[in-house]
Amino acid sequence: MADLMTIRGIVGTEPQLSITPKGLAVLKFRVATHERKRDGETGQWVDGATSWFSVSAFRALAENAMESIAQGDHLVIFGKLQIRQFDRPDGTRGMSADLEAYSLGHDLRYGISQFTKVRSENGDGDRITHSSAVDAPRAPGETGSENMWASEETDAA
């Protein structure tokens, strides 16, 4: 059984992309998470303890994430959790929380994003960009205030 989880955190290290001898793309970086809560006595917001996760992504997710994320970005990551023990050089034991990312993206509570779809039919690497409504290309005469989902038969606004 896999332990699947979703975390929300901040990229704490520069993502590092490597290619294995067999051609597999692997991206690794660390993410910091913390709980933010209101202090009952002062009413001020305070940060709770920080938890660190080592994140790995593979194949197309690794390549796309490398072009999309940077240290300091706020992300939402879904993946498989593995807790492992390791021995330090000084002889003590440590534990790490490793997350194999199945999906990840920017946390849009902290900014806006632009999505570029990668098509790989017949090995082509066409990229299709989806812009926000504010800066999306428009046909001549189009003002951008029209509702693209509304049709002449409905009263949708």
Side-chain angles (χ1 to χ4, degrees), residues 87-152:
D87 293 322
R88 294 187 180 104
D90 66 4
T92 60
R93 289 204 81 131
M95 293 185 74
S96 71
D98 300 336
L99 188 61
E100 180 184 336
Y102 291 161
S103 181
L104 63 85
H106 287 106
D107 187 344
L108 298 181
R109 291 177 12 152
Y110 298 97
I112 60 173
S113 189
Q114 181 174 338
F115 182 75
T116 303
K117 185 173 184 175
V118 179
R119 295 235 171 126
S120 60
E121 296 173 24
N122 301 327
D124 294 339
D126 296 339
R127 294 186 179 269
I128 300 169
T129 301
H130 299 269
S131 299
S132 67
V134 173
D135 56 2
R138 294 187 178 92
E142 192 175 88
T143 65
S145 61
E146 297 87 0
N147 181 344
M148 65 184 264
W149 301 109
S151 69
E152 293 176 8

Side-chain angles (χ1 to χ4, degrees), residues 13-83:
T13 59
E14 280 298 327
Q16 299 293 318
L17 181 69
S18 61
I19 307 295
T20 67
K22 292 187 177 185
L24 177 69
V26 180
L27 181 70
K28 294 186 181 246
F29 59 95
R30 298 204 10 104
V31 170
T33 66
H34 66 271
E35 183 178 14
R36 191 150 167 84
K37 48 189 161 183
R38 191 176 294 257
D39 184 305
E41 294 179 16
T42 67
Q44 298 293 317
W45 286 96
V46 294
D47 291 335
T50 300
S51 297
W52 285 91
F53 294 85
S54 296
V55 179
S56 299
F58 299 92
R59 298 174 190 80
L61 179 59
E63 293 171 359
N64 293 340
M66 183 64 194
E67 291 188 39
S68 302
I69 65 172
Q71 187 172 358
D73 286 357
H74 291 259
L75 299 181
V76 177
I77 305 168
F78 171 75
K80 180 174 68 171
L81 176 67
Q82 180 179 6
I83 304 296

